[in-house]
């Protein structure tokens, strides 16, 4: 157990109110609109626009609509609601919740480090694209002027990170500003697409598919699959009610649906998945790129905040100031990764996260809802049943994604890891019960 920390007067500020490991008291829980707004801000992300553009390379608008309905409303919403409820019920962040199923050691070494690395990767990816957009806005050729691009990207990254370093309450106010800005981007994108490409061309768009519908659904899920684990980082501030936590994911679906569509519509006739090139070809003015940066800010906050929480769990740091310093450290590392060129591996990175996160999420859901009957305990040590289950989930996801493509690898990974974990724990309880079997 962590020893209580003595805080000086100077530590009793806005940073100290957002500890990484301690549960959020119920009297500090907020209306469901706040985490829903943060989730909506999370969906204002450049990769969503890029995936929308990728879908347009293979499908017409009607099929894209079907793909998004199945992905966002049929699959994503359910995973978010289940993981979100766990966060609200326990008041704890995702990497801390994992201590119940994985054990305190494995939750720090495997789960915390995984969340840290993948969140860092997402943050670096979006910072790199934002650097492209802002460079274009100032007339810097990001293809040839690396130093100019690097300076812009570094400054943008530091600005992105500031509210998440300060903490949760700072993030929500940023989202209240940036989400409306993102809506303006959607309206502007549709207007310029209709003006330049034409309504008839967009509606008649019917390219030869280069991917299957199931692969397209997997791609959409891949953008959002991290939420099946990190949703609890934000719903820990929500009230522990099923009703609230079923409503909160609406922020993802309601914002994500039109944004994917806009990415697709804007790319029709341009023939490019690079959203910065698309916007330049459509003739977006200065304010368009500024709004793109504002909209990206919202999802960057979420990635950065989860990155800091996970690193705090890895290093067992519970103070608010400690979380803030670790978030800053993660930010600096992520900027370095962005400058190294992570954008070149965009789709591979999506598929990687689509294998890791569902397996972790399946184990956490199986433990909370089936093994422990909606209770959380801090179990010490290393639960090898969880290790076996995560390996099984990742292997099934890998095989069905790369070797013999079939079905929805992310969903299959989640279900297999959940099933293997529950069965393994039942067997263990009968043979060698311990702190993990209850």
């Amino acid at each position: 157990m962590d020893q209580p920390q003595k805080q000086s007067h100077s530590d009793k500020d806005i940073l100290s109110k957002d500890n990484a490991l301690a549960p959020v008291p119920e009297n500090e829980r907020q209306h469901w609109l706040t985490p829903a707004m943060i989730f909506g801000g999370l969906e204002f992300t450049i990769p969503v626009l890029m995936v929308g553009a990728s879908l347009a390379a293979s499908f017409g608008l009607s099929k894209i609509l079907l793909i998004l309905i199945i992905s966002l409303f049929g699959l994503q919403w359910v995973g978010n609601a289940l993981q979100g409820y766990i966060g609200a019920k326990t008041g704890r962040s995702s990497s801390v919740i994992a201590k119940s199923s994985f054990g305190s050691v494995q939750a720090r070494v495997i789960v915390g480090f995984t969340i840290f690395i993948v969140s860092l990767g997402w943050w670096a990816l979006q910072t790199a694209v934002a650097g492209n957009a802002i460079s274009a806005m100032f007339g810097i050729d990001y293809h040839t002027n690396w130093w100019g691009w690097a300076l812009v990207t570094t400054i943008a990254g530091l600005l992105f990170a500031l509210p998440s370093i300060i903490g949760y309450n700072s993030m929500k106010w940023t989202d209240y500003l940036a989400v409306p800005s993102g809506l303006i981007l959607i309206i502007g994108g549709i207007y310029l697409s209709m003006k330049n490409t034409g309504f008839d061309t967009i509606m008649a768009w019917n390219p030869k598919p280069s991917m299957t519908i199931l692969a397209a659904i997997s791609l959409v899920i891949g953008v959002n699959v991290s939420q099946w684990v990190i949703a609890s980082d934000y719903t820990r501030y929500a009230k522990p009610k099923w009703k609230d936590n079923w409503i909160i994911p609406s922020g993802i679906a309601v914002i994500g649906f039109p944004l994917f569509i806009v990415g697709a519509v804007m790319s029709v006739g341009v023939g490019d998945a690079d959203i910065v090139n698309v916007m330049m070809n459509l003739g977006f003015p200065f304010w368009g790129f500024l709004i793109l940066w504002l909209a990206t800010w919202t999802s960057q906050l979420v990635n950065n905040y989860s990155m800091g929480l996970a690193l705090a769990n890895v290093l067992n740091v519970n103070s608010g100031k400690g979380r803030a310093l670790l978030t800053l450290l993660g930010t600096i590392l992520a900027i370095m990764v962005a400058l190294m060129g992570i954008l070149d591996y965009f789709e591979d990175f999506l598929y990687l996260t689509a294998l890791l996160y569902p397996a972790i999420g399946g184990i956490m859901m199986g433990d909370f809802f089936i093994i422990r009957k909606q209770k959380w305990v801090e179990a010490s040590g290393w639960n090898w049943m969880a290790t076996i289950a995560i390996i099984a989930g990742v292997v099934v996801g890998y095989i069905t994604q790369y070797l013999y493509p079939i079905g929805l690898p992310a969903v299959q990974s989640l279900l297999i890891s959940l099933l293997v974990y529950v069965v393994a724990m039942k067997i263990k309880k009968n043979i060698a019960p311990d702190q993990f079997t209850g």
Side-chain angles (χ1 to χ4, degrees):
M1 297 293 290
D2 298 326
Q3 294 299 316
Q5 300 183 18
K6 187 178 292 184
Q7 294 181 327
S8 65
H9 178 73
S10 61
D11 194 37
K12 295 179 180 178
D13 55 16
I14 190 169
L15 297 179
S16 66
K17 296 177 182 177
D18 196 6
N19 294 343
L21 308 184
V24 176
E26 288 208 26
N27 62 358
E28 294 182 17
R29 304 301 181 87
Q30 302 177 18
H31 191 273
W32 63 262
L33 184 61
T34 297
M37 184 67 73
I38 289 177
F39 271 27
L42 169 61
E43 200 66 5
F44 269 118
T45 163
I46 292 173
V48 166
L49 291 169
M50 294 173 70
V51 168
S54 298
L55 294 178
S58 291
F59 305 102
L61 196 57
S62 60
K63 286 186 178 177
I64 291 175
L65 289 171
L66 174 63
I67 289 165
L68 294 177
I69 289 170
I70 294 172
S71 305
L72 297 177
F73 293 93
L75 298 171
Q76 193 63 44
W77 196 312
V78 175
N80 277 35
L82 291 174
Q83 185 61 240
Y85 179 75
I86 298 175
K89 188 74 173 178
T90 63
R92 290 172 167 86
S93 63
S94 55
S95 53
V96 175
I97 292 169
K99 292 180 179 180
S100 181
S101 51
F102 287 85
S104 58
V105 176
Q106 187 173 197
R108 290 166 61 184
V109 174
I110 302 293
V111 180
F113 195 67
T114 296
I115 294 173
F116 170 70
I117 290 296
V118 178
S119 295
L120 183 150
W122 268 112
W123 192 91
L125 173 67
Q126 293 192 79
T127 299
V129 182
N132 291 355
I134 298 170
S135 295
M137 187 171 72
F138 287 110
I140 298 171
D141 188 340
Y142 58 89
H143 294 293
T144 59
N145 187 354
W146 188 88
W147 286 106
W149 170 80
L151 177 62
V152 167
T153 302
T154 300
I155 294 172
L158 292 173
L159 290 174
F160 277 150
L162 185 58
S164 59
I165 292 171
I166 295 173
Y168 184 91
N169 285 318
S170 174
M171 290 167 57
K172 73 178 182 181
W173 289 113
T174 307
D175 281 321
Y176 284 133
L177 168 68
V179 169
S181 299
L183 292 173
I184 296 174
L185 178 67
I186 289 176
I187 295 169
I190 293 174
Y191 170 75
L192 289 172
S193 299
M194 295 298 181
K195 178 183 176 182
N196 294 350
T197 308
F199 179 78
D200 291 339
T201 302
I202 292 171
M203 295 307 295
W205 184 255
N206 189 28
K208 183 179 180 180
S210 59
M211 70 174 84
T212 65
I213 286 182
L214 286 177
I217 292 171
S218 291
L219 194 58
V220 174
I221 292 174
V223 180
N224 293 296
V225 74
S226 63
Q227 298 151 24
W228 290 354
V229 173
I230 67 170
S232 46
D233 290 350
Y234 310 95
T235 57
R236 67 192 182 122
Y237 283 93
K239 296 175 182 177
K241 299 178 181 178
W242 269 115
K243 177 186 173 183
D244 284 18
N245 288 279
W246 277 112
I247 296 173
I248 288 170
S250 64
I252 295 291
V254 171
I255 298 299
F257 191 83
L259 206 61
F260 278 110
I261 294 293
V262 166
V265 168
M266 287 199 305
S267 71
V268 171
V270 176
D272 197 335
D274 185 331
I275 205 63
V276 176
N277 287 342
V278 170
M279 291 175 66
M280 290 172 67
N281 277 283
L282 287 175
F284 263 86
F286 179 91
W287 59 260
F289 290 96
L290 180 62
I291 287 175
L292 181 66
W293 181 78
L294 276 173
T296 303
W297 199 359
T298 60
S299 55
Q300 289 295 74
L301 293 177
V302 175
N303 284 319
N304 217 40
Y305 186 70
S306 287
M307 179 172 62
L309 287 178
L311 188 57
N313 184 40
V314 170
L315 300 177
N316 203 34
V317 174
N318 189 37
S319 71
K321 283 192 173 180
R323 179 206 57 78
L325 288 172
L326 291 176
T327 305
L328 175 60
L329 174 62
T331 298
I332 294 170
L333 291 173
I335 289 174
M336 294 171 62
V337 171
L339 298 180
M340 290 166 61
I342 190 174
L343 191 56
D344 295 335
Y345 306 97
F346 170 60
E347 286 200 9
D348 290 339
F349 187 74
L350 278 184
Y351 287 132
L352 172 66
T353 61
L355 295 180
L356 288 171
Y357 270 123
I360 294 172
I363 293 167
M364 292 170 67
M365 293 174 191
D367 184 78
F368 184 79
F369 290 108
I370 300 175
I371 300 299
R372 299 196 185 275
K373 311 299 183 186
Q374 299 191 28
K375 295 187 183 299
W376 179 88
V377 298
E378 182 169 352
S380 60
W382 186 296
N383 186 2
W384 287 101
M385 301 303 101
T387 309
I388 293 169
I390 196 173
I391 292 172
V394 169
V395 167
V396 168
Y398 179 82
I399 291 172
T400 57
Q401 179 70 63
Y402 295 106
L403 302 183
Y404 303 99
I406 186 173
L408 301 171
V411 177
Q412 288 149 196
S413 179
L414 184 147
L415 293 176
I416 288 297
S417 63
L418 188 155
L419 179 63
V420 170
Y421 178 76
V422 170
V423 171
M425 290 297 288
K426 296 286 187 183
I427 294 172
K428 185 177 183 181
K429 186 173 183 178
N430 290 330
I431 297 175
D434 60 9
Q435 72 270 26
F436 296 108
T437 57

